[in-house]
Amino acid sequence: MNQEKSTVQIDKLKSGDEESFAMLVDETSGKIYRTLLQILGNEQDAEDILQETYLKAYRAIPEFENRSGLYTWLHRIALNEALMQIRIRKPQIVSIDDNEPFSDDLDIEQKDIVDFCCLPEGELLSKESRHFLDQAVQTLPESLRIVFVMRDIEGLSTQETADALQISENNVKIRLMRARMILRKKLSAYFNKFFIEEKEL
Amino acid sequence: MKNHNHAPSCKQMLGNLSEFIDGDLQAELCSEIEEHLKNCKNCRIVVDTLKKTVELYEKCASEETNLPNDVRERLFKKLALDDLKKHQESS
């Protein structure tokens, strides 16, 4: 999220040059679509919001002030659009305050203690593992998934996330912690198979 | 933590782990956790794997990815840029 390496010329973009805008779309849309898929959980909604994002960006680009960088600016538009969509679909999801600091997510059993850090990078980030990582995010409850995507995937601060979701910063922290702990548990179970396979050899 | 010798302090510690790995925890609580980790192997594994979990997602997020062709096709059409896209593809 912090990379601002666009080769698109901002002056040309602001003057309405369509070729530059098409380049911008090609440079940025893959990551934005991936984020939208993660936050919204289905392809149709992600595609609708992707289209809405670039339509808005195209209309707003003459006023773009380059304070945040193009990439960040586009991601903010996409996130705002996605949150609006979620509010329409399930108004209670975004702003509900679930200040439950301790839950079952913090119960850790011996089977959840798998030191997968020692696995080689090739296994941790293989095609199959990446697919599992994506799927695991999708299984999170929506209120946790949104916070996790905003904080750990999009790189927003706790305060920015709290403001966007209209919840307290403490609530953002609690949701993030729960999301991370659930994902850690799921990855432990998933990566444990490599240790079992190793023992069987 | 179940099946674990010093259960109360483990569970207390887990509630603060997320902020601990982000470096956002008060110094006093940080020291308590670090002290606990010295003698608790299971909690060390939880901390390390929690860090690793976040790191793996960050790595995946930072990598370039292409839009599926059909999604790209419809996006350019919606933006009325499809003629331009065809031109770009042929050049």
Side-chain angles (χ1 to χ4, degrees):
Chain A
M1 170 70 186
N2 297 320
Q3 297 150 342
E4 294 290 350
K5 53 183 180 188
S6 175
T7 54
V8 180
Q9 289 181 28
I10 291 173
D11 294 351
K12 279 190 167 182
L13 266 180
K14 290 182 76 163
S15 68
D17 180 56
E18 289 190 351
E19 199 169 336
S20 299
F21 194 75
M23 275 173 66
L24 177 72
V25 173
D26 273 335
E27 278 188 9
T28 55
S29 56
K31 277 190 185 177
I32 290 184
Y33 180 67
R34 184 173 59 193
T35 298
L36 289 171
L37 260 181
Q38 282 171 321
I39 209 162
L40 292 164
N42 80 75
E43 291 177 359
Q44 189 55 57
D45 283 350
E47 184 171 343
D48 289 347
I49 299 301
L50 181 76
Q51 292 180 355
E52 200 53 43
T53 297
Y54 284 100
L55 281 171
K56 284 220 162 155
Y58 192 68
R59 286 185 214 118
I61 201 90
E63 279 83 49
F64 173 68
E65 289 178 352
N66 204 20
R67 267 186 240 142
S68 55
L70 259 181
Y71 195 79
T72 304
W73 180 71
L74 276 170
H75 274 251
R76 296 294 158 91
I77 296 175
L79 272 180
N80 286 337
E81 291 297 313
L83 292 179
M84 261 168 51
Q85 168 85 352
I86 290 166
R87 283 198 179 94
I88 293 167
R89 204 171 62 190
K90 292 181 190 165
Q92 78 282 11
I93 281 290
V94 175
S95 54
I96 195 167
D97 232 25
D98 47 358
N99 279 305
E100 180 56 61
F102 294 104
S103 68
D104 293 348
D105 311 328
L106 292 181
D107 283 337
I108 296 177
E109 297 181 41
Q110 200 59 43
K111 67 179 172 57
D112 303 318
I113 308 287
V114 178
D115 192 2
F116 61 83
C117 297
C118 60
L119 286 170
E121 190 93 350
E123 278 174 354
L124 290 171
L125 286 171
S126 67
K127 195 178 171 191
E128 194 194 344
S129 299
R130 282 163 199 268
H131 182 64
F132 183 83
L133 286 167
D134 279 343
Q135 276 190 327
V137 173
Q138 291 309 314
T139 63
L140 288 173
E142 197 164 25
S143 64
L144 305 187
R145 190 174 76 225
I146 294 166
V147 169
F148 179 75
V149 173
M150 292 176 80
R151 287 283 286 108
D152 280 350
I153 294 181
E154 285 295 298
L156 268 68
S157 69
T158 302
Q159 193 187 336
E160 287 169 326
T161 307
D163 291 347
L165 297 177
Q166 295 166 8
I167 57 176
S168 66
E169 285 189 40
N170 193 43
N171 206 255
V172 171
K173 288 177 188 174
I174 289 168
R175 290 189 196 191
L176 181 64
M177 178 198 67
R178 291 186 60 202
R180 286 172 168 179
M181 293 300 274
I182 293 171
L183 291 172
R184 191 208 71 82
K185 206 183 265 196
K186 285 180 187 290
L187 295 194
S188 298
Y190 174 76
F191 287 122
N192 192 34
K193 70 177 185 177
F194 292 101
F195 295 100
I196 293 168
E197 281 167 12
E198 224 168 70
K199 273 183 203 163
E200 284 171 354
L201 284 176
Chain B
M1 195 182 281
K2 289 170 191 171
N3 304 323
H4 196 190
N5 289 336
H6 14 277
S9 55
C10 289
K11 186 139 186 172
Q12 277 164 10
M13 193 202 70
L14 292 175
N16 290 317
L17 270 197
S18 191
E19 284 177 86
F20 175 72
I21 64 162
D22 287 340
D24 291 339
L25 202 60
Q26 296 162 21
E28 197 183 328
L29 287 170
C30 260
S31 308
E32 279 177 26
I33 289 178
E34 278 159 7
E35 197 56 39
H36 177 92
L37 292 177
K38 280 183 194 165
N39 303 308
C40 185
K41 189 184 173 198
N42 281 355
C43 281
R44 277 204 303 276
I45 293 175
V46 173
V47 170
D48 290 345
T49 49
L50 190 67
K51 276 186 199 164
K52 197 72 181 177
T53 299
V54 175
E55 191 187 305
L56 288 175
Y57 278 101
E58 281 174 353
K59 272 191 184 162
C60 288
S62 69
E63 285 167 4
E64 294 302 327
T65 179
N66 289 327
L67 201 58
N69 283 338
D70 55 333
V71 178
R72 180 177 182 268
E73 192 89 21
R74 289 189 290 271
L75 175 61
F76 273 78
K77 197 166 186 178
K78 184 84 176 180
L79 297 168
L81 295 171
D82 44 342
D83 288 341
L84 192 64
K85 181 196 59 129
K86 279 173 196 152
H87 173 74
Q88 281 180 334
E89 281 169 354
S90 63
S91 62

